[in-house]
Amino acid sequence: MKKIITALMIGSTMLSVNAQENPDNPLLKKWTGPYGGVPAFNEYNISQIKPAFDVVIKERLSEIEAIANNPKAPTFENTIAQMERAGKDFKRVMTVYGIYSSNLNSPEFEPIEREMGPILAFLSSRIYQNKKLFKRIESLYNGRDKGKLTKEQQRLIWLNYTNFVKEGANLNPEAKEKVAEINGELASYFSTFSQNLLAEENNEYVALSNQGDFDGLPEGLRKAAMAQAKERNLNVLGVIGNTRSFVEPFLTFSNDRELRAKVWSMYVKRGDNENEFDNKATLVQILQLRAKKAKLLGFPTFAHWNLSNKMAKTPERTMELMMSVWEPAVAQVHKDVAAMQKIVDAEGGNFKISPWDYRYYSEKVRKEKYDLDQNVVKEYLQLENLREGMFWVAGELFDLQFKQITNVPVYHADVRVWEVSNKTTGKLVGLWYFDPYARKGKRSGAWMNAYRNQQRMDGEVLTIVSNNSNFIKGADNAPVLISWTDATTLFHEFGHALHGLCSNVTYPTLAGTAVARDYVEFPSQILERWLETPEVLNKFALHYKTNEPIPMALVERIDKASTFNEGFSTVETIASSLIDMKLHLAGDTLIDPTAFERETLNKLNMPEEIVMRHRIPQFGHIFSSDGYAAGYYSYLWADVISTDAYEAFTEGNGPYDKEVAKRLYESVFSVGNTTDQEDAYRSFRGRDPKSDALMRARGFDSFKAENKK
């Protein structure tokens, strides 16, 4: 790939290279077939990736140079619109590359990712630092005739201008060079961090050697553990893998305290085992480079730089919000732990609640206080039924319908595809790919991707989106039963997908989920609320054996327990958010990750019975890319918005109020980034969001009232 780096350095003297010079590489071919073309996953393989990048990176820079060097005066059409049209071949290759990185990562792919990371970062820097291109954008941004353009065109000019400025377009040549070097180094460290974390998740496990080790485990987890041992070719009865989908249910139901401690330790020490996959030195380098980059760009810290174009605007506003919720959440945890400790003492346990006990005894408190057994609830939560429930909600709210198709290729046998259209008009909207199961080489967690953005610059282009999860596949085609938490995550990620599918804009850069990071979680978080509606539970929460709907008495108990354990989930999440922000406010101070985590949490009075949801050495959100760096607060920020927004439904005619749903579609789900997000929310709600709704939703409003007395 040296020739690519050389090409990047040549810049304006680059020769144009057409993708047709290598016509035999499937990655370089346009997507063909139905729906405006689809990825030819049946033709792709790893060996094609680097040769494809060799071509499309050159082509990408050539296109940018042509726009920058246009002798005609800059106009929206010859500059901004041409930028929107450029890079189509590059984007297609990047889509497939991203799928391999997240879903099909392997020892053969790892060196490609390590090599391509810095090259792609350099490419981005070259574009943002193109002086002639920026001058054209700046001219349009300051132009007197801007008012003659559509609001969407004005927004696109604004977005390009602010992005270029943020990435250093105004810097002197020497500073630009340094920023480019830093971006390349960061990309290399991001790959290292991600691959280390994936290795720990793939390689580490806890063996279940005798029948006693299965004591307390629900049937689905028992079978999954046995299947995992078989898959790994291990001569043991079962295996608990090092992923959340295995660990959380084990910690909730295993009666063996010693084994719980072992599984918990395995999971929380990912990236922190003083071995070849230890991430501490890597993340320190990332923090140092980010601090250096922020200073070059004129900001005191990386946090200040990264928030400069977010809704929150400043780190101080995020800290204020987080601390306002932190105190009542911690107070609730102390109450919950006291209730757990009573059970331990009553059982004759001679120990204090530890982190590996929390979920186990919390479940006992839930049963005692609300007569609610999560295993009983789980029997009604079949993955496929809930998927149908999501489709039904999308139909009720946004008039969408889903039809499974088999005439498009997929990248793995687990992946299925649905055609999405408008129920009333029959008009096609896009495709939804679903990849639900955990497997080796797939990163943990759940996410949404857009393979292609909706647009209509030169004719209607359908969007293609995916939802990817890590549920444990049922043995022998048995129904996959998931927890209430996993069901909530399923709806959450589908909310992101709907944000993409409902997009109705002209320009692809403004489409779907391309909004501020602390706003993008709003559409996903609000959709979570529909899982708990009686309409969804009665229609789709059907018992996996009897097919009977979930009893209303059980639904009522679920509703009564809706705020149970909110203290725990809030503390573990906000702890990660606070650590993230404080890490990036530390500037160029050289930190010891272990000491920093311990000392910061001590100052915050973190309950000793809980650990962060993402400890620093495994915090992929903030160290596998810049995506959520100094931005993990976004989940809380967006939840303020989503809880306030949902009350617009409850204040109206309920969750399926057609008029409110229409406003939600028109002001939020369909507009992408065509308008300022604060204005978009005001258009929906008629005012700014209020945090009181969040406190009510999490059951913390009583704390607020008590502290006013």
Side-chain angles (χ1 to χ4, degrees), residues 378-400:
K378 194 172 183 178
E379 292 179 350
Y380 293 90
L381 302 179
Q382 299 179 60
L383 174 62
E384 295 304 314
N385 281 358
L386 290 174
R387 176 188 50 69
E388 288 294 326
M390 297 190 312
F391 292 170
W392 182 81
V393 169
E396 292 299 299
L397 296 181
F398 304 130
D399 208 28
L400 297 178

PDB file of all heavy atoms in Angstrom, residues 378-400:
ATOM      1  N   LYS A 378     -39.157 -13.902  30.230  1.00  0.00           N
ATOM      2  CA  LYS A 378     -38.366 -14.276  29.050  1.00  0.00           C
ATOM      3  C   LYS A 378     -39.066 -15.324  28.205  1.00  0.00           C
ATOM      4  O   LYS A 378     -38.896 -15.364  26.974  1.00  0.00           O
ATOM      5  CB  LYS A 378     -36.999 -14.795  29.521  1.00  0.00           C
ATOM      6  CG  LYS A 378     -35.949 -14.905  28.443  1.00  0.00           C
ATOM      7  CD  LYS A 378     -34.596 -15.243  29.059  1.00  0.00           C
ATOM      8  CE  LYS A 378     -33.505 -15.293  28.011  1.00  0.00           C
ATOM      9  NZ  LYS A 378     -32.179 -15.575  28.614  1.00  0.00           N
ATOM     10  N   GLU A 379     -39.884 -16.170  28.816  1.00  0.00           N
ATOM     11  CA  GLU A 379     -40.583 -17.216  28.068  1.00  0.00           C
ATOM     12  C   GLU A 379     -41.563 -16.628  27.049  1.00  0.00           C
ATOM     13  O   GLU A 379     -41.979 -17.314  26.110  1.00  0.00           O
ATOM     14  CB  GLU A 379     -41.319 -18.145  29.036  1.00  0.00           C
ATOM     15  CG  GLU A 379     -40.360 -18.985  29.884  1.00  0.00           C
ATOM     16  CD  GLU A 379     -41.087 -19.892  30.868  1.00  0.00           C
ATOM     17  OE1 GLU A 379     -42.325 -19.724  31.022  1.00  0.00           O
ATOM     18  OE2 GLU A 379     -40.437 -20.757  31.474  1.00  0.00           O
ATOM     19  N   TYR A 380     -41.894 -15.349  27.239  1.00  0.00           N
ATOM     20  CA  TYR A 380     -42.809 -14.675  26.315  1.00  0.00           C
ATOM     21  C   TYR A 380     -42.068 -13.794  25.304  1.00  0.00           C
ATOM     22  O   TYR A 380     -42.697 -13.224  24.412  1.00  0.00           O
ATOM     23  CB  TYR A 380     -43.803 -13.815  27.093  1.00  0.00           C
ATOM     24  CG  TYR A 380     -44.763 -14.611  27.937  1.00  0.00           C
ATOM     25  CD1 TYR A 380     -44.458 -14.944  29.254  1.00  0.00           C
ATOM     26  CD2 TYR A 380     -45.976 -15.051  27.408  1.00  0.00           C
ATOM     27  CE1 TYR A 380     -45.341 -15.678  30.033  1.00  0.00           C
ATOM     28  CE2 TYR A 380     -46.864 -15.794  28.178  1.00  0.00           C
ATOM     29  CZ  TYR A 380     -46.538 -16.101  29.489  1.00  0.00           C
ATOM     30  OH  TYR A 380     -47.420 -16.838  30.247  1.00  0.00           O
ATOM     31  N   LEU A 381     -40.754 -13.689  25.444  1.00  0.00           N
ATOM     32  CA  LEU A 381     -39.989 -12.768  24.606  1.00  0.00           C
ATOM     33  C   LEU A 381     -39.190 -13.541  23.561  1.00  0.00           C
ATOM     34  O   LEU A 381     -37.984 -13.747  23.678  1.00  0.00           O
ATOM     35  CB  LEU A 381     -39.063 -11.904  25.470  1.00  0.00           C
ATOM     36  CG  LEU A 381     -39.759 -11.061  26.543  1.00  0.00           C
ATOM     37  CD1 LEU A 381     -38.737 -10.261  27.343  1.00  0.00           C
ATOM     38  CD2 LEU A 381     -40.799 -10.129  25.931  1.00  0.00           C
ATOM     39  N   GLN A 382     -39.879 -14.002  22.523  1.00  0.00           N
ATOM     40  CA  GLN A 382     -39.222 -14.691  21.422  1.00  0.00           C
ATOM     41  C   GLN A 382     -38.685 -13.654  20.435  1.00  0.00           C
ATOM     42  O   GLN A 382     -39.409 -12.741  20.029  1.00  0.00           O
ATOM     43  CB  GLN A 382     -40.202 -15.611  20.705  1.00  0.00           C
ATOM     44  CG  GLN A 382     -40.785 -16.711  21.571  1.00  0.00           C
ATOM     45  CD  GLN A 382     -41.767 -17.564  20.794  1.00  0.00           C
ATOM     46  OE1 GLN A 382     -41.413 -18.186  19.797  1.00  0.00           O
ATOM     47  NE2 GLN A 382     -43.015 -17.596  21.244  1.00  0.00           N
ATOM     48  N   LEU A 383     -37.448 -13.823  20.056  1.00  0.00           N
ATOM     49  CA  LEU A 383     -36.793 -12.856  19.179  1.00  0.00           C
ATOM     50  C   LEU A 383     -37.605 -12.591  17.913  1.00  0.00           C
ATOM     51  O   LEU A 383     -37.831 -11.435  17.534  1.00  0.00           O
ATOM     52  CB  LEU A 383     -35.387 -13.352  18.811  1.00  0.00           C
ATOM     53  CG  LEU A 383     -34.616 -12.516  17.779  1.00  0.00           C
ATOM     54  CD1 LEU A 383     -34.377 -11.101  18.290  1.00  0.00           C
ATOM     55  CD2 LEU A 383     -33.288 -13.196  17.429  1.00  0.00           C
ATOM     56  N   GLU A 384     -38.045 -13.651  17.251  1.00  0.00           N
ATOM     57  CA  GLU A 384     -38.739 -13.474  15.976  1.00  0.00           C
ATOM     58  C   GLU A 384     -40.096 -12.797  16.151  1.00  0.00           C
ATOM     59  O   GLU A 384     -40.520 -11.992  15.313  1.00  0.00           O
ATOM     60  CB  GLU A 384     -38.894 -14.812  15.252  1.00  0.00           C
ATOM     61  CG  GLU A 384     -37.577 -15.437  14.829  1.00  0.00           C
ATOM     62  CD  GLU A 384     -36.737 -14.502  13.960  1.00  0.00           C
ATOM     63  OE1 GLU A 384     -37.287 -13.886  13.020  1.00  0.00           O
ATOM     64  OE2 GLU A 384     -35.535 -14.373  14.223  1.00  0.00           O
ATOM     65  N   ASN A 385     -40.785 -13.097  17.235  1.00  0.00           N
ATOM     66  CA  ASN A 385     -42.060 -12.428  17.494  1.00  0.00           C
ATOM     67  C   ASN A 385     -41.852 -10.943  17.768  1.00  0.00           C
ATOM     68  O   ASN A 385     -42.630 -10.093  17.313  1.00  0.00           O
ATOM     69  CB  ASN A 385     -42.772 -13.071  18.683  1.00  0.00           C
ATOM     70  CG  ASN A 385     -43.468 -14.373  18.309  1.00  0.00           C
ATOM     71  OD1 ASN A 385     -43.453 -14.771  17.151  1.00  0.00           O
ATOM     72  ND2 ASN A 385     -44.059 -15.032  19.289  1.00  0.00           N
ATOM     73  N   LEU A 386     -40.814 -10.624  18.533  1.00  0.00           N
ATOM     74  CA  LEU A 386     -40.543  -9.226  18.840  1.00  0.00           C
ATOM     75  C   LEU A 386     -40.130  -8.460  17.584  1.00  0.00           C
ATOM     76  O   LEU A 386     -40.455  -7.274  17.437  1.00  0.00           O
ATOM     77  CB  LEU A 386     -39.461  -9.121  19.911  1.00  0.00           C
ATOM     78  CG  LEU A 386     -39.892  -9.586  21.307  1.00  0.00           C
ATOM     79  CD1 LEU A 386     -38.708  -9.569  22.258  1.00  0.00           C
ATOM     80  CD2 LEU A 386     -41.011  -8.710  21.857  1.00  0.00           C
ATOM     81  N   ARG A 387     -39.404  -9.139  16.700  1.00  0.00           N
ATOM     82  CA  ARG A 387     -39.072  -8.503  15.422  1.00  0.00           C
ATOM     83  C   ARG A 387     -40.355  -8.131  14.677  1.00  0.00           C
ATOM     84  O   ARG A 387     -40.486  -7.022  14.141  1.00  0.00           O
ATOM     85  CB  ARG A 387     -38.200  -9.434  14.573  1.00  0.00           C
ATOM     86  CG  ARG A 387     -37.904  -8.882  13.184  1.00  0.00           C
ATOM     87  CD  ARG A 387     -37.205  -9.899  12.318  1.00  0.00           C
ATOM     88  NE  ARG A 387     -37.841 -11.207  12.293  1.00  0.00           N
ATOM     89  CZ  ARG A 387     -39.013 -11.464  11.715  1.00  0.00           C
ATOM     90  NH1 ARG A 387     -39.693 -10.502  11.117  1.00  0.00           N
ATOM     91  NH2 ARG A 387     -39.507 -12.682  11.735  1.00  0.00           N
ATOM     92  N   GLU A 388     -41.319  -9.060  14.667  1.00  0.00           N
ATOM     93  CA  GLU A 388     -42.611  -8.762  14.044  1.00  0.00           C
ATOM     94  C   GLU A 388     -43.303  -7.610  14.777  1.00  0.00           C
ATOM     95  O   GLU A 388     -43.984  -6.780  14.167  1.00  0.00           O
ATOM     96  CB  GLU A 388     -43.506 -10.002  14.048  1.00  0.00           C
ATOM     97  CG  GLU A 388     -43.077 -11.085  13.079  1.00  0.00           C
ATOM     98  CD  GLU A 388     -43.216 -10.649  11.626  1.00  0.00           C
ATOM     99  OE1 GLU A 388     -44.147  -9.877  11.300  1.00  0.00           O
ATOM    100  OE2 GLU A 388     -42.374 -11.071  10.805  1.00  0.00           O
ATOM    101  N   GLY A 389     -43.126  -7.561  16.085  1.00  0.00           N
ATOM    102  CA  GLY A 389     -43.702  -6.469  16.874  1.00  0.00           C
ATOM    103  C   GLY A 389     -43.112  -5.126  16.480  1.00  0.00           C
ATOM    104  O   GLY A 389     -43.823  -4.116  16.406  1.00  0.00           O
ATOM    105  N   MET A 390     -41.806  -5.105  16.223  1.00  0.00           N
ATOM    106  CA  MET A 390     -41.163  -3.868  15.774  1.00  0.00           C
ATOM    107  C   MET A 390     -41.739  -3.433  14.432  1.00  0.00           C
ATOM    108  O   MET A 390     -41.993  -2.241  14.213  1.00  0.00           O
ATOM    109  CB  MET A 390     -39.650  -4.060  15.651  1.00  0.00           C
ATOM    110  CG  MET A 390     -38.946  -4.382  16.951  1.00  0.00           C
ATOM    111  SD  MET A 390     -37.138  -4.324  16.834  1.00  0.00           S
ATOM    112  CE  MET A 390     -36.794  -5.265  15.367  1.00  0.00           C
ATOM    113  N   PHE A 391     -41.920  -4.387  13.539  1.00  0.00           N
ATOM    114  CA  PHE A 391     -42.494  -4.068  12.231  1.00  0.00           C
ATOM    115  C   PHE A 391     -43.895  -3.455  12.400  1.00  0.00           C
ATOM    116  O   PHE A 391     -44.257  -2.492  11.714  1.00  0.00           O
ATOM    117  CB  PHE A 391     -42.600  -5.321  11.356  1.00  0.00           C
ATOM    118  CG  PHE A 391     -41.282  -5.897  10.903  1.00  0.00           C
ATOM    119  CD1 PHE A 391     -41.230  -7.138  10.277  1.00  0.00           C
ATOM    120  CD2 PHE A 391     -40.091  -5.203  11.080  1.00  0.00           C
ATOM    121  CE1 PHE A 391     -40.029  -7.673   9.836  1.00  0.00           C
ATOM    122  CE2 PHE A 391     -38.886  -5.735  10.643  1.00  0.00           C
ATOM    123  CZ  PHE A 391     -38.852  -6.973  10.024  1.00  0.00           C
ATOM    124  N   TRP A 392     -44.664  -4.052  13.309  1.00  0.00           N
ATOM    125  CA  TRP A 392     -46.033  -3.562  13.541  1.00  0.00           C
ATOM    126  C   TRP A 392     -46.019  -2.131  14.062  1.00  0.00           C
ATOM    127  O   TRP A 392     -46.793  -1.281  13.604  1.00  0.00           O
ATOM    128  CB  TRP A 392     -46.746  -4.496  14.525  1.00  0.00           C
ATOM    129  CG  TRP A 392     -48.175  -4.097  14.783  1.00  0.00           C
ATOM    130  CD1 TRP A 392     -49.256  -4.360  13.994  1.00  0.00           C
ATOM    131  CD2 TRP A 392     -48.651  -3.334  15.889  1.00  0.00           C
ATOM    132  NE1 TRP A 392     -50.395  -3.821  14.545  1.00  0.00           N
ATOM    133  CE2 TRP A 392     -50.054  -3.184  15.710  1.00  0.00           C
ATOM    134  CE3 TRP A 392     -48.060  -2.778  17.012  1.00  0.00           C
ATOM    135  CZ2 TRP A 392     -50.856  -2.490  16.627  1.00  0.00           C
ATOM    136  CZ3 TRP A 392     -48.853  -2.081  17.921  1.00  0.00           C
ATOM    137  CH2 TRP A 392     -50.226  -1.942  17.731  1.00  0.00           C
ATOM    138  N   VAL A 393     -45.108  -1.840  15.003  1.00  0.00           N
ATOM    139  CA  VAL A 393     -44.982  -0.485  15.544  1.00  0.00           C
ATOM    140  C   VAL A 393     -44.609   0.492  14.432  1.00  0.00           C
ATOM    141  O   VAL A 393     -45.174   1.592  14.330  1.00  0.00           O
ATOM    142  CB  VAL A 393     -43.942  -0.435  16.680  1.00  0.00           C
ATOM    143  CG1 VAL A 393     -43.609   1.005  17.065  1.00  0.00           C
ATOM    144  CG2 VAL A 393     -44.443  -1.194  17.901  1.00  0.00           C
ATOM    145  N   ALA A 394     -43.668   0.089  13.575  1.00  0.00           N
ATOM    146  CA  ALA A 394     -43.265   0.947  12.458  1.00  0.00           C
ATOM    147  C   ALA A 394     -44.449   1.230  11.537  1.00  0.00           C
ATOM    148  O   ALA A 394     -44.564   2.319  10.964  1.00  0.00           O
ATOM    149  CB  ALA A 394     -42.133   0.288  11.673  1.00  0.00           C
ATOM    150  N   GLY A 395     -45.334   0.256  11.402  1.00  0.00           N
ATOM    151  CA  GLY A 395     -46.528   0.449  10.585  1.00  0.00           C
ATOM    152  C   GLY A 395     -47.515   1.404  11.223  1.00  0.00           C
ATOM    153  O   GLY A 395     -48.103   2.261  10.554  1.00  0.00           O
ATOM    154  N   GLU A 396     -47.700   1.254  12.536  1.00  0.00           N
ATOM    155  CA  GLU A 396     -48.641   2.115  13.247  1.00  0.00           C
ATOM    156  C   GLU A 396     -48.157   3.558  13.310  1.00  0.00           C
ATOM    157  O   GLU A 396     -48.948   4.495  13.182  1.00  0.00           O
ATOM    158  CB  GLU A 396     -48.861   1.577  14.667  1.00  0.00           C
ATOM    159  CG  GLU A 396     -49.586   0.257  14.727  1.00  0.00           C
ATOM    160  CD  GLU A 396     -50.987   0.344  14.135  1.00  0.00           C
ATOM    161  OE1 GLU A 396     -51.798   1.130  14.667  1.00  0.00           O
ATOM    162  OE2 GLU A 396     -51.262  -0.357  13.154  1.00  0.00           O
ATOM    163  N   LEU A 397     -46.857   3.754  13.521  1.00  0.00           N
ATOM    164  CA  LEU A 397     -46.320   5.108  13.685  1.00  0.00           C
ATOM    165  C   LEU A 397     -46.014   5.778  12.355  1.00  0.00           C
ATOM    166  O   LEU A 397     -46.314   6.967  12.157  1.00  0.00           O
ATOM    167  CB  LEU A 397     -45.048   5.079  14.539  1.00  0.00           C
ATOM    168  CG  LEU A 397     -45.172   4.618  15.989  1.00  0.00           C
ATOM    169  CD1 LEU A 397     -43.804   4.678  16.670  1.00  0.00           C
ATOM    170  CD2 LEU A 397     -46.176   5.467  16.755  1.00  0.00           C
ATOM    171  N   PHE A 398     -45.388   5.021  11.444  1.00  0.00           N
ATOM    172  CA  PHE A 398     -44.841   5.640  10.227  1.00  0.00           C
ATOM    173  C   PHE A 398     -45.372   5.031   8.926  1.00  0.00           C
ATOM    174  O   PHE A 398     -44.839   5.304   7.854  1.00  0.00           O
ATOM    175  CB  PHE A 398     -43.307   5.544  10.252  1.00  0.00           C
ATOM    176  CG  PHE A 398     -42.691   6.157  11.485  1.00  0.00           C
ATOM    177  CD1 PHE A 398     -41.761   5.453  12.236  1.00  0.00           C
ATOM    178  CD2 PHE A 398     -43.048   7.435  11.901  1.00  0.00           C
ATOM    179  CE1 PHE A 398     -41.185   6.010  13.376  1.00  0.00           C
ATOM    180  CE2 PHE A 398     -42.481   8.000  13.038  1.00  0.00           C
ATOM    181  CZ  PHE A 398     -41.554   7.295  13.781  1.00  0.00           C
ATOM    182  N   ASP A 399     -46.389   4.166   9.052  1.00  0.00           N
ATOM    183  CA  ASP A 399     -47.056   3.606   7.872  1.00  0.00           C
ATOM    184  C   ASP A 399     -46.115   2.758   7.015  1.00  0.00           C
ATOM    185  O   ASP A 399     -46.226   2.725   5.788  1.00  0.00           O
ATOM    186  CB  ASP A 399     -47.661   4.735   7.021  1.00  0.00           C
ATOM    187  CG  ASP A 399     -48.878   4.260   6.221  1.00  0.00           C
ATOM    188  OD1 ASP A 399     -49.546   3.316   6.675  1.00  0.00           O
ATOM    189  OD2 ASP A 399     -49.134   4.822   5.147  1.00  0.00           O
ATOM    190  N   LEU A 400     -45.186   2.050   7.675  1.00  0.00           N
ATOM    191  CA  LEU A 400     -44.244   1.204   6.948  1.00  0.00           C
ATOM    192  C   LEU A 400     -44.667  -0.259   7.024  1.00  0.00           C
ATOM    193  O   LEU A 400     -45.280  -0.697   7.999  1.00  0.00           O
ATOM    194  CB  LEU A 400     -42.833   1.352   7.528  1.00  0.00           C
ATOM    195  CG  LEU A 400     -42.184   2.728   7.438  1.00  0.00           C
ATOM    196  CD1 LEU A 400     -40.813   2.702   8.097  1.00  0.00           C
ATOM    197  CD2 LEU A 400     -42.068   3.195   5.992  1.00  0.00           C
TER     198      LEU A 400
END
